[in-house]
Amino acid sequence: MVILALVDLFNIHKQYDIKILLEDVSFHLGEGERIAIVGQNGCGKSTLMKIITGEEEPSEGKRIVNQSITIEMLSQQPRFDASLNVREAIENELRELKAIKERYDALSLQLALEYDNKALLDEHAKLSNYLDHHNAWSLDDKIERVLQEFKLKEYENRLVITLSGGEQRRVALASLILKKPDVLLLDEPTNHLDVYMVEFLEEILLKEKFTLLFISHDRYFIDTIATRVIEVENRELVSYNGGYNRYLVQKEERMKSLAKEHGNLLRFLKQEEAWLAQGVKAREKRNQGRKKRVYELRDQAKINPTLIHKMKVELEREKKHFNREEGVSKKKMLFDIENLSYSIAHKQLIGDFSTRVLQKDKIAVVGPNGSGKSTLLRLMLSKIKPTFGVIAQGDFKIGYFDQHRDMLDDEKSLIETFCPSGGDIINVNGKNTHVFAYLKSFLFPQEYLNKKVGLLSGGEKNRVALALLLSREVDCLILDEPTNDLDIQTINILEEKLINYWGAIIFVSHDRYFIDKIASKLFIFKNNGVIEESYQNYSEYLLIEKEIKELEAFESTIIQETPKIQPKPKIKTKLSYKEQKALETLPDEIEALEVQIETINQCLANPQCYQEKGLSTLSEELIKLEKLYETKSDAYLELLELAEELERD
């Protein structure tokens, strides 16, 4: 199969004053490729994209672009006609596609009368191919869906320039994915998107077969979308096939030969791969097993629609709490939240929420944009007062990070920031450390010590703020979007620090990968102020939630298509004593089995543990427990369904 070349760069050199960003690099983009660009902040990723679009000229080298194609890039600060509302701004970007569709419709009518007109037939075929390529047959329906999925529907009649910067970026992104240029360039497209918007974006980019070049620190997004990863490293471009997972494997192989110079990087790569192997792959296996059961039940449900209820109960149960700590914990209690409610402008963000935060909890606060996540943090920090309820707080110190970086003074240098009383030694976790050695672990070179904070980039300021926060003696870290503006290498460093942090962590994030790695518990914001607690892995929770939605849509279809079947008369009017007893005892038995299964899985992930107990013994025990778990779960679901049927009757 021949892949059409769209963009080629040859021997590109790019320099600003004395700073060299790119040196003798070449690059090729073929039709249908989806390439992720990664690298440290300031290494030249955005510059490379601007050279590809023609926005910037290289200092040396040649850029060759197929003249028949269009290249468009999502701007960090999009500009709009001040007179247009949100819907008009999107439609304005699609006026060429709409004009072509109107011309196509007119030609179709004309050809009904002149069906043998070759010129008309050729033009008709050409327009048809163009509309196929851009999938522009039902633009109005697509506009409606993108307004809904990007949470822009409520603003559709509002002037686009009155929206926030993040909302304007969503309008610009919506326009671009509907327009579908031949080559689409996206710089951090998942910024300002919640996880549901990111999932929709992933779906569109894959379904519409975009040719794509993008910069992102969202590792799940890279793994899902990218066919190739390009790393900007030491002024060069290094290419790796596949998504983020394959990039890690290939980069580790490359780094082994340079282990002495790149010891820290190699260590991070190995840690990252180990986490992926133990966590993601294990979850994928569970997900595949669950999907297989669901698909089997779906086929049966076409004959017997009542089985759909069983499927939903099974999925909902999997979404609920598991490996929950039972009884009274001996850990120090930091927050005791009782019946917390908070409303603003007649909208309830939090309703009757009660929970406890203990000494070593690592809690991710997740949910759609605008649902109240940051509000919960501000309530816990006593920055605002609840409408109702109490947040009782123990005697402990809190370290807080938000995007405003209020702890930093732009007029101070880095060494003045970390050593305000003079000297060059700081105390971190009870150990005296030279400030340079500490900042080096956050990727700051020595020459940055005397640099003013105000001269740093946004990502560098975030690094300083996080390094400063993690150097302080606090019992609880409260973090609001800590990974924004950070590159992947810095996020890896932050993750290592947080995983080894001894106290509690409560953080808001949309980064699924980061959440999966750090959080042991979730506060999930639902609709109308409801907050659901879960001890489940976040990406797995989202997958189950998606399957339930698909199931509900499937149920609706089945109900519409299945003819009404007269139920057989039931003689049974209530559960037997044995059935009632089983209904009461099975949940505890199932939860006990879950704990045993989780304990064995943890042992299997620990070489010291499985070598001591025996790998084959553990595996056999796990198979028996999983089989027993499935048997008891099925029995419980059947009894639950029977009890509900008898109650309805």
Side-chain angles (χ1 to χ4, degrees), residues 78-90:
R79 294 178 181 175
F80 298 95
D81 184 326
S83 66
L84 299 179
N85 64 32
V86 169
R87 181 178 277 273
E88 289 167 344
I90 294 173

Side-chain angles (χ1 to χ4, degrees), residues 559-626:
I559 289 169
Q560 290 172 14
E561 292 178 356
T562 306
K564 296 286 183 184
I565 301 171
Q566 292 298 322
K568 294 178 181 178
K570 289 186 178 73
I571 300 170
K572 192 167 188 167
T573 58
K574 65 177 183 177
L575 295 176
S576 67
Y577 173 78
K578 187 178 178 182
E579 288 170 333
Q580 186 63 46
K581 192 73 177 170
L583 192 62
E584 292 169 3
T585 59
L586 277 170
D588 290 337
E589 292 174 19
I590 290 166
E591 286 195 14
L593 286 168
E594 285 175 347
V595 172
Q596 291 177 62
I597 289 167
E598 183 61 25
T599 302
I600 292 176
N601 278 324
Q602 287 175 0
C603 187
L604 287 169
N606 183 340
Q608 187 178 348
C609 182
Y610 67 64
Q611 284 168 9
E612 183 183 324
K613 297 191 176 182
L615 194 59
S616 59
T617 303
L618 285 168
S619 299
E620 287 172 12
E621 189 178 348
L622 182 62
I623 290 168
K624 288 178 184 175
L625 286 171
E626 285 179 336

Side-chain angles (χ1 to χ4, degrees), residues 43-59:
C43 68
K45 301 188 296 292
S46 296
T47 300
L48 176 65
M49 292 184 83
K50 287 175 182 176
I51 290 171
I52 288 168
T53 62
E55 186 180 337
E56 287 203 18
E57 290 294 327
S59 306

Side-chain angles (χ1 to χ4, degrees), residues 361-597:
D361 280 347
K362 289 183 169 66
I363 302 168
V365 184
V366 298
N369 283 349
S371 57
K373 302 183 297 297
S374 296
T375 299
L376 177 61
L377 298 192
R378 295 178 70 208
L379 286 163
M380 296 175 82
L381 289 161
S382 301
K383 289 181 178 286
I384 54 175
K385 293 183 178 179
T387 307
F388 185 78
V390 177
I391 302 179
Q393 187 176 322
D395 182 20
F396 64 96
K397 293 179 183 177
I398 296 174
Y400 176 56
F401 170 87
D402 72 352
Q403 294 300 304
H404 302 298
R405 302 180 285 257
D406 292 332
M407 65 180 77
L408 301 182
D409 182 343
D410 283 353
E411 296 305 312
K412 288 185 177 179
S413 67
L414 263 66
I415 195 162
E416 289 170 335
T417 299
F418 284 84
C419 304
S421 303
D424 53 13
I425 302 296
I426 58 171
N427 189 284
V428 181
N429 296 328
K431 293 181 181 178
N432 286 334
T433 306
H434 193 282
V435 67
F436 168 61
Y438 181 64
L439 286 175
K440 188 179 178 183
S441 73
F442 284 87
L443 305 179
F444 284 107
Q446 190 163 3
E447 58 266 27
Y448 270 58
L449 285 179
N450 294 310
K451 196 170 184 178
K452 298 278 188 188
V453 169
L455 298 175
L456 301 178
S457 69
E460 288 169 335
K461 284 183 179 180
N462 267 12
R463 260 192 281 161
V464 173
L466 287 164
L468 186 61
L469 183 62
L470 290 165
S471 72
R472 292 176 174 171
E473 290 186 18
V474 295
D475 303 283
C476 176
L477 293 172
I478 295 182
L479 313 172
D480 198 353
E481 292 286 2
T483 64
N484 274 9
D485 295 322
L486 299 183
D487 55 51
I488 290 172
Q489 197 169 339
T490 308
I491 295 173
N492 277 329
I493 293 166
L494 176 62
E495 286 167 348
E496 183 183 42
K497 304 279 186 189
L498 295 180
I499 287 167
N500 294 320
Y501 179 67
W502 63 274
I505 304 169
I506 306 162
F507 66 99
V508 169
S509 181
H510 294 299
D511 187 330
R512 298 160 293 178
Y513 198 101
F514 181 76
I515 295 166
D516 281 353
K517 230 173 167 183
I518 302 301
S520 56
K521 184 178 180 180
L522 304 173
F523 289 168
I524 305 160
F525 274 71
K526 312 296 281 185
N527 294 323
N528 303 319
V530 175
I531 302 176
E532 182 179 312
E533 284 187 75
S534 176
Y535 290 80
Q536 190 161 30
N537 175 274
Y538 189 41
S539 59
E540 192 168 358
Y541 177 94
L542 288 170
L543 185 62
I544 294 171
E545 188 177 53
K546 189 176 180 181
E547 286 174 1
I548 289 171
K549 286 179 182 175
E550 290 173 356
L551 203 53
E552 286 169 350
F554 177 71
E555 182 179 28
S556 176
T557 306
I558 287 290
I559 289 169
Q560 290 172 14
E561 292 178 356
T562 306
K564 296 286 183 184
I565 301 171
Q566 292 298 322
K568 294 178 181 178
K570 289 186 178 73
I571 300 170
K572 192 167 188 167
T573 58
K574 65 177 183 177
L575 295 176
S576 67
Y577 173 78
K578 187 178 178 182
E579 288 170 333
Q580 186 63 46
K581 192 73 177 170
L583 192 62
E584 292 169 3
T585 59
L586 277 170
D588 290 337
E589 292 174 19
I590 290 166
E591 286 195 14
L593 286 168
E594 285 175 347
V595 172
Q596 291 177 62
I597 289 167

Side-chain angles (χ1 to χ4, degrees), residues 5-14 22-29 48 51-52 57-66 237:
L6 302 181
V7 179
D8 283 293
L9 303 180
F10 296 103
N11 310 113
I12 296 294
H13 185 98
K14 184 63 180 178
L22 301 170
E23 191 169 22
D24 195 31
V25 304
S26 296
F27 170 79
H28 167 85
L29 176 66
L48 176 65
I51 290 171
I52 288 168
E57 290 294 327
S59 306
E60 295 175 20
K62 184 182 280 190
R63 167 183 175 265
I64 298 175
V65 176
N66 187 317
L237 303 186

